[in-house]
């Protein structure tokens, strides 16, 4: 990137979260991620901008030295911090302001520091040396937590039976976060069973919320931009998808078109999620199994009695397995972690200068991974033990909130890529890549909030499920339709 030749007209608004705003280059596969600050506190913005480099470098170091070893070299792209001309940054801020969702405008883009995080555009193929023969397609999935807590510190038995996502839906619906309840259950997606995974993906398509987005050439064509602005027309989505799965015109049309195309999409997503890092084979012998008691959520709408016999469990090196293993670093649950957090806080209250030595806020160097991986299981009452468990929990929370990016592009007839880079559908070949996004370290200071929120979610779920059953959700896939997932050999 030639920072002295930056032109704001070569960049466009890409999206934003609570803490950062992203722009993408109109030609190259690059994005710039800027920090955001509260609009009503300009003085604080100036102060925070001075700390922007350290903040962004911490994100890079955490992704590179902590999350990449846990999740795998092929899935994580940590990027680099760049310093940009302030005039370019300010002109860019003015350019993208009109494209931002109104609900996000309570914060402003950092225009004072000039620092940004430069990353590859993961809505496009990350597979090298292949030219895209058409606009790339990308499916972004935020899978959430894929297991039930197994800690003895859990005080409410319902947490051993119903997953956090399904319980949280009731509170979000009551608070007006979403208008309809999702039928998606993360445990179905993480099961490794193709029936359950297909069911989970269909429910994501039916009610995407912020857990599913589909991009075409970097533009959102399905899913929610924010809490209020959603694109969820399956028939319109089908028209976008048809050229990827049925490239010859006239091969598919009529009332079954939507169902057939969506089933092809689900087939491709499932294949990509189960493919091992660097290979598209889904039949690996080594599998990650979760014990039967923790593999099913009582709130899932999937009926176990229709489950066909077959192999379950995730291939050891597939993206879901990697994420799940990182999530399971949370082996004491927030209820067991909160007292350990208090132990650390008490110690820091007495010895505040020890905060740097204990690396509470970084730096996230190469030693961090070894400390987290080799953490002892028994509590010896020390502060060191408490700090390690807190840091493991933070890694697990990052893994529970990350996104999977599956980029696809039609494979030209004259291209002969490696078989492990291609997914074969019934009528087409697609080159693909799988990446993991949103790998920032979760704030240490948020742990008391997470503890409080956990209690609110559980208590509200118990209260709401005692009063009435789940409200019916309109089904975009008619019960009479045969929506069986068909997996083609690769």
């Amino acid at each position: 990137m030639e920072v002295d030749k930056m032109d704001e007209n070569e960049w466009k608004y890409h999206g934003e979260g609570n803490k950062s705003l992203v722009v993408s280059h109109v030609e190259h596969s690059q994005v710039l991620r800027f920090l955001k600050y509260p609009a009503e506190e300009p003085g604080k913005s100036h102060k925070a901008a001075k700390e922007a480099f350290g903040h962004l470098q911490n994100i890079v170091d955490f992704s590179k030295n902590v999350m990449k070893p846990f999740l795998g070299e092929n899935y994580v792209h940590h990027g680099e911090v760049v310093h940009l001309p302030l005039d370019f940054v300010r002109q860019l801020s003015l350019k993208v302001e009109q494209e931002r969702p109104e609900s996000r405008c309570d914060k402003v883009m950092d225009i004072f520091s000039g620092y940004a995080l430069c990353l590859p555009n993961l809505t496009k193929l990350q597979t090298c040396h292949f030219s895209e023969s058409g606009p790339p397609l990308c499916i972004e999935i935020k899978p959430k937590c894929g297991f039930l807590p197994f800690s003895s510190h859990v005080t409410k038995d319902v947490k051993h039976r119903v997953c956090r996502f399904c319980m949280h839906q009731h509170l979000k619906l009551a608070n007006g976060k979403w208008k309809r309840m999702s039928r998606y259950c993360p445990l179905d997606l993480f099961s490794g069973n193709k029936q359950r995974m297909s069911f989970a993906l269909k429910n994501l398509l039916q009610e995407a919320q912020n857990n599913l987005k589909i991009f075409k050439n970097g533009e959102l064509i399905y899913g929610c931009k924010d809490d209020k602005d959603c694109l969820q027309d399956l028939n319109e989505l089908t028209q976008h998808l048809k050229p990827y799965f049925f490239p010859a015109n006239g091969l598919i049309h009529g009332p079954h078109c939507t169902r057939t195309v969506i089933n092809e999409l689900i087939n491709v997503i499932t294949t990509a999620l189960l493919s091992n890092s660097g290979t598209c084979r889904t039949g690996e012998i080594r599998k990650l199994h979760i014990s039967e008691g923790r593999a099913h959520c009582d709130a899932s709408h999937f009926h176990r009695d229709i489950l066909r016999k077959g192999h379950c469990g995730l291939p050891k090196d597939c993206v879901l397995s990697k994420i799940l293993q990182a999530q399971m670093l949370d082996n004491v649950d927030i209820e067991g972690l909160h007292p350990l957090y208090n132990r650390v806080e008490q110690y820091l209250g007495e010895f505040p200068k020890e905060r740097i030595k204990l690396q509470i806020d970084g730096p996230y160097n190469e030693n961090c991974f070894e400390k987290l991986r080799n953490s002892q299981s028994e509590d010896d009452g020390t502060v060191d033990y408490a700090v390690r468990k807190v840091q493991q929990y933070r890694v697990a929370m990052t893994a529970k909130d990350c996104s999977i990016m599956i980029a696809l592009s039609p494979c030209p007839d004259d291209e002969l890529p490696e078989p492990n880079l291609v997914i074969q559908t019934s009528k087409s070949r697609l080159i693909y890549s799988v990446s993991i996004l949103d790998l920032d370290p979760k704030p240490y200071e948020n742990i008391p909030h997470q503890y409080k929120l956990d209690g609110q979610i559980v208590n509200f779920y118990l209260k709401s499920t005692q009063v009435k059953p789940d409200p019916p959700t309109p089904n975009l896939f008619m019960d009479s339709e045969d929506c069986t997932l068909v997996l083609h050999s690769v």
Side-chain angles (χ1 to χ4, degrees), residues 385-403:
Y385 172 84
V387 169
R388 284 196 297 271
K389 299 311 289 186
V390 165
Q391 301 294 50
Q392 282 187 324
Y393 173 81
R394 293 174 67 195
V395 171
M397 289 302 291
T398 295
K400 291 176 185 181
D401 204 36
C402 71
S403 293

Side-chain angles (χ1 to χ4, degrees), residues 54 134 137 184 336-337 347 367 437 462 486:
L137 192 70
Y184 166 71
L337 187 87
Y347 180 78
N367 294 329
L437 190 63
L462 290 172
V486 180

Side-chain angles (χ1 to χ4, degrees), residues 54-72:
H55 189 146
L56 291 171
Q57 191 60 51
N58 252 1
I59 292 173
V60 171
D61 292 342
F62 186 77
S63 295
K64 179 181 178 181
N65 297 323
V66 179
M67 298 310 298
K68 181 177 277 191
F70 276 118
L71 299 176

